[in-house]
Amino acid sequence: MKRWVDVAALGVSQIIGYGTLYYSFSVLAPSMARDLGWTSEWVFGALSIALLTSGLVAPWTGRWMDRFGAGRIMAFGSAAAALALVACAATGSVITFVPALVASQVAATLVQYGAAFSLLVQRQPETAQRNIVYLTLIAGFASTIFWPLTAWMHGFLGWRDVYLVFAGLQLVVCLPIHVLLARKPDLSTANSERPGHPAATSPQDHLRDRDRTAGFVMMTTAFALQSFISSAVLIHMLPMLAALGLGAAGVAAGTLFGPAQVASRLLNMVFAKNLLQLHLAIISAVLLVLALTVIIVAPPSFWVAMLFATLFGLGSGLFSIVGGTLPLELFGHQGYGALQGRVMSVRLIVSAAAPFTFALLMHNAGVTWALLASAGIGAGAIVAFLIILKLNRRAALLERHQPTSEATT
């Protein structure tokens, strides 16, 4: 029962955390721009700066979770997020708005997936992998709920008032949840060891000590490359499809992305219980590349746009799962918070730069070449995962032969 209470409570806080601090921004950005005397491009540029800053501080937040407990850090993060949203609402100029926005995204690293995964690992390490899958299924509805909710509220409230309401949600709903989950966390699983350190091993670990650093580098590289694709394509999906001659069809087909994400998590939960997370990561990377290949090669049509959105949604949904479960499978639960912090740092930095880079490619080389470059980046993620698979199989092979060698001696 405790397991389901933890997952359900964190699911609520994740929906609010992503909805108030991330998904609402795109809805409110045009009003922010008009109010502050900026263009929308500059407002989104400020968000990129905020995401970049949050990526730089992520390694420290990960270590704090291991040291003080992820629940306590998330409780502090809810209070910080509320204050940051109030600061954004109270700002009267660009000079004060940008620091407030940066503060909101730094607070986001304390309350979103990286922190929530760490909390699940600390409280119930033996079931954490499945709990992460269930949590991503619930949190997957954040955009479905908060895009229309924010638009509805913005119909009769200014963006500042909307942010004040969201600050209230952080204090009234999220803060009590995180305070309750912070009580008596299992800190025996938390340490500040690096993933390549022998002390960070666990029974779940499949990599030998000598391969752990290489495995971590390959995993982080693959996640960074996938983050680039996800961030770039999602931000530019509608203009990208329009440039390919799929204007109205692209808008209609794009609505399949969210349901496909949720569907991938449901399919994984029901049919992939015994599948290694490394295999799931490879499938995720293949689906993203396949989606890009379809939209590049196939003649523009509504059905092609639908297939692209579905494949991309399926791949993105699985990517959100393995971002939490693959590090646990490869490196175990010890030092998980610090490890997630380091991984999230790279992912956030790449995600912050991806939309601008993709836009530059589209403007200078054309949408087809931008998509080809993205597909090549996705292929790099597949290669990185396959290298980890090779290391994994070598470790398993040596482990099987070890008893035989000892018997002969």
Side-chain angles (χ1 to χ4, degrees), residues 250-277:
V251 173
T255 60
L256 290 174
F257 173 80
Q261 272 196 313
V262 174
S264 70
R265 293 162 184 169
L266 277 171
L267 291 171
N268 174 68
M269 188 172 64
V270 175
F271 299 109
K273 292 181 179 180
N274 299 318
L275 188 67
L276 285 176
Q277 297 306 296

Side-chain angles (χ1 to χ4, degrees), residues 1-26:
M1 186 65 180
K2 175 186 174 184
R3 170 187 181 183
W4 297 112
V5 170
D6 286 1
V7 172
L10 273 178
V12 171
S13 80
Q14 290 301 286
I15 288 174
I16 295 174
Y18 274 97
T20 60
L21 296 169
Y22 186 73
Y23 288 116
S24 64
F25 188 86
S26 61

Side-chain angles (χ1 to χ4, degrees), residues 132-331:
I132 289 172
V133 174
Y134 300 138
L135 178 62
T136 58
L137 176 63
I138 299 172
F141 290 97
S143 61
T144 306
I145 294 172
F146 267 85
W147 274 335
L149 176 63
T150 304
W152 173 74
M153 291 176 62
H154 195 34
F156 56 89
L157 293 175
W159 71 268
R160 299 175 188 273
D161 295 321
V162 173
Y163 262 14
L164 290 176
V165 173
F166 288 167
L169 287 177
Q170 288 287 344
L171 289 177
V172 175
V173 181
C174 297
L175 180 58
I177 288 174
H178 297 153
V179 168
L180 288 173
L181 292 177
R183 292 162 55 182
K184 297 180 180 179
D186 183 6
L187 294 180
S188 63
T189 64
N191 63 54
S192 58
E193 298 293 340
R194 295 176 56 193
H197 194 282
T201 58
S202 80
Q204 292 173 286
D205 179 39
H206 294 287
L207 292 176
R208 298 183 302 165
D209 290 345
R210 60 182 291 185
D211 293 331
R212 290 172 67 82
T213 299
F216 179 75
V217 170
M218 287 297 102
M219 181 187 72
T220 305
T221 299
F223 283 166
L225 296 177
Q226 286 183 288
S227 292
F228 179 94
I229 297 173
S230 180
S231 179
V233 172
L234 286 180
I235 291 293
H236 295 288
M237 181 177 287
L238 296 184
M240 177 191 76
L241 292 175
L244 291 170
L246 295 166
V251 173
T255 60
L256 290 174
F257 173 80
Q261 272 196 313
V262 174
S264 70
R265 293 162 184 169
L266 277 171
L267 291 171
N268 174 68
M269 188 172 64
V270 175
F271 299 109
K273 292 181 179 180
N274 299 318
L275 188 67
L276 285 176
Q277 297 306 296
L278 181 55
H279 293 161
L280 200 66
I282 295 172
I283 293 171
S284 167
V286 169
L287 284 170
L288 292 177
V289 173
L290 186 60
L292 294 171
T293 303
V294 165
I295 203 69
I296 293 170
V297 174
S301 71
F302 174 70
W303 299 108
V304 169
M306 287 183 62
L307 180 59
F308 162 75
T310 301
L311 290 172
F312 203 84
L314 291 171
S316 296
L318 294 180
F319 176 43
S320 66
I321 294 173
V322 297
T325 57
L326 184 59
L328 187 61
E329 179 178 86
L330 294 177
F331 304 105

